[in-house]
Amino acid sequence: MDSQSSMDLITEDEAELYDRQIRLWGLDAQRRLRAASVLLIGLKGLGAEVAKNIILSGIKAITLMDHNPVDEEDQMSQFFVSTVAPGQNRAEASASNAQLLNPMVTVTTDTNNPAGKDDNFFKEFDVICATCCPPSLLCRLDKLCFENNIKFFAGDVYGYYGFTFSDLGTHEYLHEEVKVLKPKEGEGQSKTTEKTITSKEKIVFTRLEDELQFDWTADTPAMQKKIRQTPSTFFITRVYQEFLEVHGRRPCISSLEADTKELQNIRLQLLNKLGVPAKVIPEDFYKYGFGELSPVCAIVGGILGQEIIKAVSQKDAPLNNFFFYNGVTDDGLVDKITL
């Protein structure tokens, strides 16, 4: 589609609203965003950050999906519902404030549990971003997205720890590189010019299930090096994901003592199952994983929103495929588990 055809899909009001974005990433990229329909699962603090970022970017529509009620923790970390009384559905309570961010984006809600949804429901979307979900559901959604050419993203925040995951199947994107053209012989230094070279690149992603089932047990120097280089946040968040899988909820301050013991038990079980050294999950990890911290949600949600925008607009190389943030050590690392 040429630029003139692209302009036909952008109204004058949209061109004015998205002027700075169009200047940054181009009209065709904005057109792709304008055509994208997104399903966002999970409206805790992280989900709110993602919703904000992609609604402001100018997508076509977003469905906010959450079957849980607002709780006291949400009032401290989820800015859409900070003044909402506990008990209301998270998605419905978030919708009006989310809509105010950009009246040109269609915001709808779904209060059903995603685990009970038929596969056909998910096929209606161009992008699915799942937060607050156990790994079994994430793997199911990732596989479905891969089979139906849907862009899949996932993420979560546990206290100081957070992660994102992307699976875009086989993804093509535009890469821009600025090259300095040397002056011709006999010309002065002032004749040096720059030229932007645009090329189409391709990257292949792997499924989340393959990443989570990676075999760490090989007793080789290469494997020992890989274990050392893998962010500890990968192993730490696996403990919290397993807690969510088993108990159907996240660790709570109200049951701090019991949940701490359970997290410690899951740590030992996971270390034994994976066959990795105990030091990859510090013994005191549980002290930093209760609740959601707004700054961590902002950082992880910023990365997750950015990756959705990049994938839809097809501008710049996407992260392949994990991003891990550890607020205890204040580091963020990109990693891919499978070799």
Side-chain angles (χ1 to χ4, degrees):
M1 182 176 291
D2 58 31
S3 296
Q4 185 58 49
S5 298
S6 300
M7 179 63 81
D8 292 341
L9 298 179
I10 302 291
T11 66
E12 291 185 6
D13 288 342
E14 289 172 328
E16 181 178 357
L17 179 62
Y18 304 133
D19 177 68
R20 293 180 64 183
Q21 296 175 183
I22 293 173
R23 292 174 185 272
L24 176 63
W25 53 53
L27 189 58
D28 283 340
Q30 190 65 49
R31 173 184 58 80
R32 295 185 187 100
L33 285 166
R34 186 64 184 84
S37 177
V38 179
L39 173 64
L40 175 61
I41 301 172
L43 268 297
K44 287 183 71 63
L46 176 60
E49 290 285 351
V50 175
K52 175 198 68 177
N53 293 331
I54 61 178
I55 288 173
L56 290 174
S57 75
I59 57 173
K60 176 184 178 181
I62 184 170
T63 297
L64 307 178
M65 187 177 197
D66 200 317
H67 62 290
N68 296 294
V70 174
D71 58 30
E72 292 182 356
E73 180 183 292
D74 295 329
Q75 294 178 319
M76 294 181 285
S77 62
Q78 213 273 44
F79 47 76
F80 287 144
V81 302
S82 59
T83 60
V84 173
Q88 297 185 44
N89 175 267
R90 277 199 202 116
E92 292 182 335
S94 301
S96 59
N97 285 332
Q99 183 66 80
L100 289 175
L101 292 172
N102 191 340
M104 295 185 184
V105 175
T106 301
V107 178
T108 58
T109 62
D110 191 311
T111 60
N112 293 299
N113 188 331
K117 284 286 192 179
D118 183 84
D119 287 357
N120 289 327
F121 167 79
F122 300 103
K123 296 177 183 179
E124 300 299 318
F125 300 93
D126 303 300
V127 178
I128 293 177
C129 178
T131 70
C132 305
C133 295
S136 60
L137 178 56
L138 295 179
C139 290
R140 173 199 164 196
L141 292 175
D142 183 23
K143 181 180 179 182
L144 185 150
C145 287
F146 173 70
E147 293 172 347
N148 292 276
N149 197 30
I150 300 169
K151 297 174 176 62
F152 176 75
F153 298 87
D156 221 326
V157 166
Y158 304 97
Y160 284 79
Y161 311 114
F163 78 93
T164 74
F165 173 83
S166 307
D167 182 2
L168 308 180
T170 300
H171 179 68
E172 293 185 345
Y173 63 95
L174 297 178
H175 173 70
E176 294 184 349
E177 181 179 0
V178 177
K179 291 190 175 182
V180 177
L181 304 180
K182 297 181 180 179
K184 296 180 181 179
E185 187 176 351
E187 293 182 342
Q189 188 66 29
S190 61
K191 294 295 182 178
T192 299
T193 58
E194 293 183 347
K195 183 177 181 180
T196 300
I197 306 297
T198 302
S199 59
K200 180 175 286 189
E201 306 289 339
K202 182 170 69 174
I203 188 170
V204 178
F205 289 74
T206 53
R207 309 294 80 74
L208 177 61
E209 184 174 19
D210 294 332
E211 300 288 296
L212 297 182
Q213 293 183 352
F214 181 79
D215 184 359
W216 298 89
T217 59
D219 188 15
T220 63
M223 182 59 69
Q224 297 306 313
K225 180 179 179 181
K226 179 171 181 59
I227 292 174
R228 291 194 303 271
Q229 293 179 340
T230 299
S232 63
T233 313
F234 169 74
F235 300 104
I236 292 171
T237 54
R238 290 289 301 275
V239 175
Y240 289 96
Q241 285 183 300
E242 183 63 20
F243 186 103
L244 181 59
E245 185 77 65
V246 172
H247 298 282
R249 64 174 179 85
R250 311 158 79 82
C252 301
I253 295 294
S254 59
S255 51
L256 178 63
E257 184 176 351
D259 288 357
T260 294
K261 290 181 179 179
E262 177 65 356
L263 287 169
Q264 292 171 317
N265 289 334
I266 293 176
R267 170 184 178 267
L268 295 176
Q269 293 168 11
L270 183 66
L271 290 171
N272 183 62
K273 175 183 176 181
L274 298 181
V276 293
K279 63 182 180 181
V280 303
I281 306 178
E283 290 187 9
D284 64 348
F285 77 98
Y286 60 87
K287 296 180 180 179
Y288 309 99
F290 282 81
E292 279 189 310
L293 296 182
S294 294
V296 179
C297 290
I299 292 170
V300 178
I303 295 294
L304 196 47
Q306 165 191 286
E307 289 307 300
I308 293 173
I309 293 169
K310 284 162 57 177
V312 173
S313 66
Q314 297 179 12
K315 293 285 289 186
D316 300 324
L319 300 183
N320 186 8
N321 47 18
F322 279 104
F323 168 77
F324 298 106
Y325 180 72
N326 187 328
V328 179
T329 56
D330 193 25
D331 59 49
L333 298 170
V334 177
D335 198 16
K336 180 173 170 58
I337 303 303
T338 56
L339 299 175

